Amino acid sequence: MISTYRRRKLANMLMLSLLGAAALVAVVPLIAVAAYVVLEGAGAINLDFFTQLPSPAGEAGGGMGNAVVGTLELVAIASALATPTGVMAGIYLAQQGRGTRLGPLVRLLSDVLNGVPTIVVGLFVYGLLVLTTGSFSALAGGVALGVIMLPVIARTTEEAVLQVPSSVREAALALGLPEWRATLRVVLPTARSGILTGVILGVARISGETAPLLFTAFGNSFWSLDPTKPIASLPVQIYNFATGPYESWHRQAWGAALVLMTMVLALNLAARWLSRSR
Amino acid sequence: MARELRTGMLPPRVRRASINWGDRAFHGITTGFALLIAALVALLVLELATESVPALSRFGPGFLASTSWNPVTGEFGALPFIYGTLATSALALALAWPIGVGAAAFLTELAPRFVRSILGTMVEMLAAVPSVVYGLWGVFVLVPLLRERVEPWLIERLGVLPVFSGPPFGLGVFAAGLLLAVMILPTLASVSREAMSAVPRGQREALLALGATRWEVIRAVVLAQARSGLVAATVLALGRALGETMATVMVIGNSPSINVSIFAPASTMASVIANDFNEATGLQKAVLLELGLILLVVSLAVNTAARLMAARSTR
């Protein structure tokens, strides 16, 4: 009897420490990646990094100003396309779609779209916009990122709208507002911080995406803001520089990774803070 | 019961009777945007299917079983890439599963509140790191470490097994599998955590009251009750691993070959598209689009299955 008891206690101790070890091992990669990115990247960050063009192959100096601006433009195009679309679809899922057959289907497809490999989205937009217009473009890159962002915004909007207390809606309706005005003037403002969280999460998700940009925005070694022309972006620049042969390129790639990771982690923490303070 | 007040802003019968043109227009507009999401999924399949017609008609179903890859003679087969995709994903799942599920069990069952919030946030931040940053870290930190230390060590001790044989390249299936394991870890951990938190508290307490140890409670109640959620987590993680591109293309070595050794370079469906598409022309482009189509169809199936399972497990 005693031996069974001791065996159970030992098994308990052993398994609980294994579970604790698993949790510790799970955070090691984050620390390892973050430490290297900070250590290797910090040296490459200076004013030139944000204001200069990349220097010619193999030469030291230069920056990634065009890629920083390009990433901002791509994210802006994607947000401008995906935010209104996603919010409207989210309203549908939370309100009209309830109790219908279409609602759950759209919700499922939205989740499925969220899981489509982003490189496939890149191929899709390549066929849709690059082949038809005959050129890589910032617009095509923005559309590809927008497709990836759309389900994130739709689902978070749905959740935010569902969290609005029904007394708030009913009060608005009781005052004689038609449903559409009650939704736009009362429900949406109440759900604002939830929707904002969704947009921030969406931006965080797409700003580091590389694969969908390879065949759409392509890349550009010069300054460009023209949405009909190829445009540089930080993730694609990291890929090109990291796989290139020059030491100076590798340093710049680490610098770009530091900028990108800081941005994405800050956006994620902001979204967490925003959803917790609600 | 589903059709009552909270199903919309108004009961359906009232809604249908509404003659407010603004409401009708508004319903039409939101429905339109919802349909846009459905249309996008359909359009994705349609577009890739049309673009890959030259490859589909040329090679037929034999494409899936052929190992040839010769852009000069125009002979293409998908098998090496299917192999690479499955090998890296399987390796990633095998490495990440015990860690992800173990971490989830620790966080839901054992960790004090502040540890839970710190470790939980850190695990979720793993998902936020862009995949190209993992790739960069893989190229300059992981691959040299594997080539100079880990792989020689494994080959020396376990080299008799074919999977651990061959020269230590660094770049290859092993490196890609390791990076993918890190990248699917947050999916595994967070979906498992959700399933475990949904297990009713009373069941744990009942078993504890009978004198069970904490581990016995976790095994007999938490893991058992959350089983379908754990399956959903596994399938979702698999879906992520199958389509992951940038980290893989940077460390897998990009070679359309099938080797028994996990240290050998290979290619996945996603990585060959990323690597070759911009230089490809004509038939090769159609072939890469067909690989994209296969990837899309597989990911649609895997994700649909996972979502349906997850929905059932938390209900």
Side-chain angles (χ1 to χ4, degrees), chain A residues 47-54 63-78 138-139 142 145 207 213 217 219-227 229-235 237 256 259-260 263:
Chain A
L47 190 62
D48 280 358
F49 184 88
F50 294 98
T51 57
Q52 300 293 309
L53 286 174
M64 287 202 187
N66 60 337
V68 174
V69 173
T71 284
L72 294 179
E73 180 171 330
L74 288 167
V75 169
I77 295 174
L139 188 66
L145 295 182
S207 42
L213 296 178
N220 194 330
S221 332
F222 302 100
W223 294 102
S224 168
L225 285 174
D226 187 346
K229 295 267 157 44
I231 198 167
S233 62
L234 283 173
Q237 200 85 308
V259 173
L260 202 58
M263 184 171 136

Side-chain angles (χ1 to χ4, degrees), chain A residues 29-237:
Chain A
L30 181 70
I31 297 169
V33 172
Y36 268 97
V37 168
V38 171
L39 288 177
E40 302 269 342
I45 301 295
N46 48 34
L47 190 62
D48 280 358
F49 184 88
F50 294 98
T51 57
Q52 300 293 309
L53 286 174
S55 52
E59 280 178 33
M64 287 202 187
N66 60 337
V68 174
V69 173
T71 284
L72 294 179
E73 180 171 330
L74 288 167
V75 169
I77 295 174
S79 310
L81 293 171
T83 307
T85 318
V87 168
M88 293 306 259
I91 293 174
Y92 173 84
L93 289 175
Q95 295 189 353
Q96 288 91 51
R98 300 257 132 188
T100 65
R101 230 176 283 165
L102 182 63
L105 179 68
V106 169
R107 187 173 304 115
L108 176 70
L109 286 179
S110 164
D111 286 343
V112 167
L113 184 61
N114 197 12
V116 168
T118 55
I119 185 125
V120 173
V121 175
L123 287 178
F124 166 62
V125 176
Y126 172 85
L128 198 70
L129 286 176
V130 177
L131 278 187
T132 49
T133 62
S135 154
F136 298 112
S137 65
L139 188 66
V143 169
L145 295 182
V147 170
I148 297 162
M149 195 180 184
L150 178 60
V152 180
I153 296 183
R155 295 288 270 123
T156 39
T157 301
E158 181 195 1
E159 266 162 45
V161 169
L162 279 179
Q163 275 181 7
V164 174
S166 54
S167 57
V168 172
R169 298 158 199 228
E170 283 157 16
L173 293 174
L175 286 172
L177 283 184
E179 190 188 333
W180 67 278
R181 293 203 65 177
T183 305
L184 292 183
R185 304 296 288 278
V186 179
V187 174
L188 278 190
T190 314
R192 192 177 48 201
S193 75
I195 296 172
L196 190 60
T197 308
V199 175
I200 294 177
L201 282 177
V203 169
R205 163 98 204 263
I206 59 168
S207 42
E209 280 294 346
T210 317
L213 296 178
L214 292 174
F215 330 128
T216 53
F218 194 61
N220 194 330
S221 332
F222 302 100
W223 294 102
S224 168
L225 285 174
D226 187 346
T228 63
K229 295 267 157 44
I231 198 167
S233 62
L234 283 173
V236 174
Q237 200 85 308

Side-chain angles (χ1 to χ4, degrees), chain A residues 8 12 15 26 30 85 88 92 95-96 98 112 115 117 124 126-127 178-180 183 210 214 250 264 268 272, chain B residues 7 9 20 22-23 27 30 33-34 36 44 47 122 124 126 128 132 140 211 215-216 278 285 299-300 303:
Chain A
R8 286 178 56 208
N12 185 45
M15 291 315 292
L30 181 70
T85 318
M88 293 306 259
Y92 173 84
Q95 295 189 353
Q96 288 91 51
R98 300 257 132 188
V112 167
F124 166 62
Y126 172 85
E179 190 188 333
W180 67 278
T183 305
T210 317
L214 292 174
H250 299 164
V264 172
N268 268 286
R272 281 181 149 259
Chain B
T7 64
M9 291 194 77
N20 187 315
D23 280 357
H27 287 172
T30 55
F33 280 109
L36 184 72
L44 262 164
E47 171 77 37
M122 287 178 79
E124 275 168 38
L126 272 179
V132 71
F140 293 111
W215 163 244
E216 285 163 348
N278 275 334
K285 212 151 211 164
S299 87
L300 291 182
N303 278 288

Side-chain angles (χ1 to χ4, degrees), chain B:
Chain B
M1 303 144 303
R3 291 177 172 258
E4 56 179 23
L5 248 180
R6 60 179 301 279
T7 64
M9 291 194 77
L10 293 171
R13 215 166 298 142
V14 181
R15 209 198 294 161
R16 227 168 279 137
S18 158
I19 48 158
N20 187 315
W21 61 267
D23 280 357
R24 291 206 172 171
F26 186 67
H27 287 172
I29 292 169
T30 55
T31 311
F33 280 109
L35 285 173
L36 184 72
I37 291 183
L40 262 178
V41 176
L43 210 59
L44 262 164
V45 179
L46 208 67
E47 171 77 37
L48 290 187
T50 4
E51 298 286 339
S52 49
V53 160
L56 285 167
S57 58
R58 169 89 186 266
F59 301 110
F63 180 65
L64 297 176
S66 159
T67 56
S68 52
W69 188 262
N70 192 337
V72 181
T73 61
E75 285 305 312
F76 299 100
L79 198 59
F81 310 105
I82 295 174
Y83 159 78
T85 306
L86 293 180
T88 49
S89 302
L91 185 60
L93 263 185
L95 292 167
W97 202 88
I99 296 174
V101 175
F106 177 79
L107 292 175
T108 45
E109 304 301 317
L110 303 169
R113 185 186 285 251
F114 74 98
V115 176
R116 187 189 316 163
S117 82
I118 293 173
L119 287 188
T121 308
M122 287 178 79
V123 172
E124 275 168 38
M125 286 301 129
L126 272 179
V129 177
S131 88
V132 71
V133 174
Y134 281 121
L136 179 72
W137 183 79
V139 168
F140 293 111
V141 182
L142 183 66
V143 166
L145 184 75
L146 292 182
R147 188 175 49 228
E148 279 142 37
R149 309 261 162 149
V150 180
E151 290 182 2
W153 189 87
L154 283 171
I155 290 168
E156 197 179 307
R157 276 159 190 79
L158 301 165
V160 281
L161 302 171
V163 248
F164 295 115
S165 63
F169 270 114
L171 296 170
V173 172
F174 189 46
L178 276 172
L179 271 192
L180 284 179
V182 174
M183 301 179 72
I184 63 174
L185 196 59
T187 312
L188 270 170
S190 67
V191 181
S192 310
R193 262 178 92 184
E194 255 168 57
M196 290 177 190
S197 325
V199 176
R201 194 188 183 86
Q203 301 211 12
R204 300 185 174 92
E205 286 165 358
L207 210 61
L208 281 174
L210 288 172
T213 62
R214 301 282 288 274
W215 163 244
E216 285 163 348
V217 171
I218 291 174
R219 199 192 53 193
V221 176
V222 181
L223 291 182
Q225 295 266 332
R227 192 191 303 155
S228 66
L230 297 186
V231 174
T234 312
V235 178
L236 271 181
L238 177 68
R240 172 122 208 246
L242 292 175
E244 185 46 59
T245 311
M246 295 319 294
T248 312
V249 74
M250 291 167 86
V251 300
I252 199 169
N254 298 313
S255 143
S257 54
I258 301 179
N259 278 294
V260 193
S261 170
I262 58 170
F263 302 141
S267 269
T268 69
M269 291 193 272
S271 77
V272 72
I273 298 172
N275 206 43
D276 292 4
F277 192 75
N278 275 334
E279 280 84 45
T281 48
L283 186 61
Q284 194 182 0
K285 212 151 211 164
V287 164
L288 293 170
L289 281 156
E290 186 181 346
L291 284 176
L293 180 68
I294 299 170
L295 204 53
L296 174 67
V297 171
V298 170
S299 87
L300 291 182
V302 165
N303 278 288
T304 309
R307 294 294 170 182
L308 293 178
M309 276 187 286
R312 204 180 315 143
S313 75
T314 49
R315 196 174 295 151

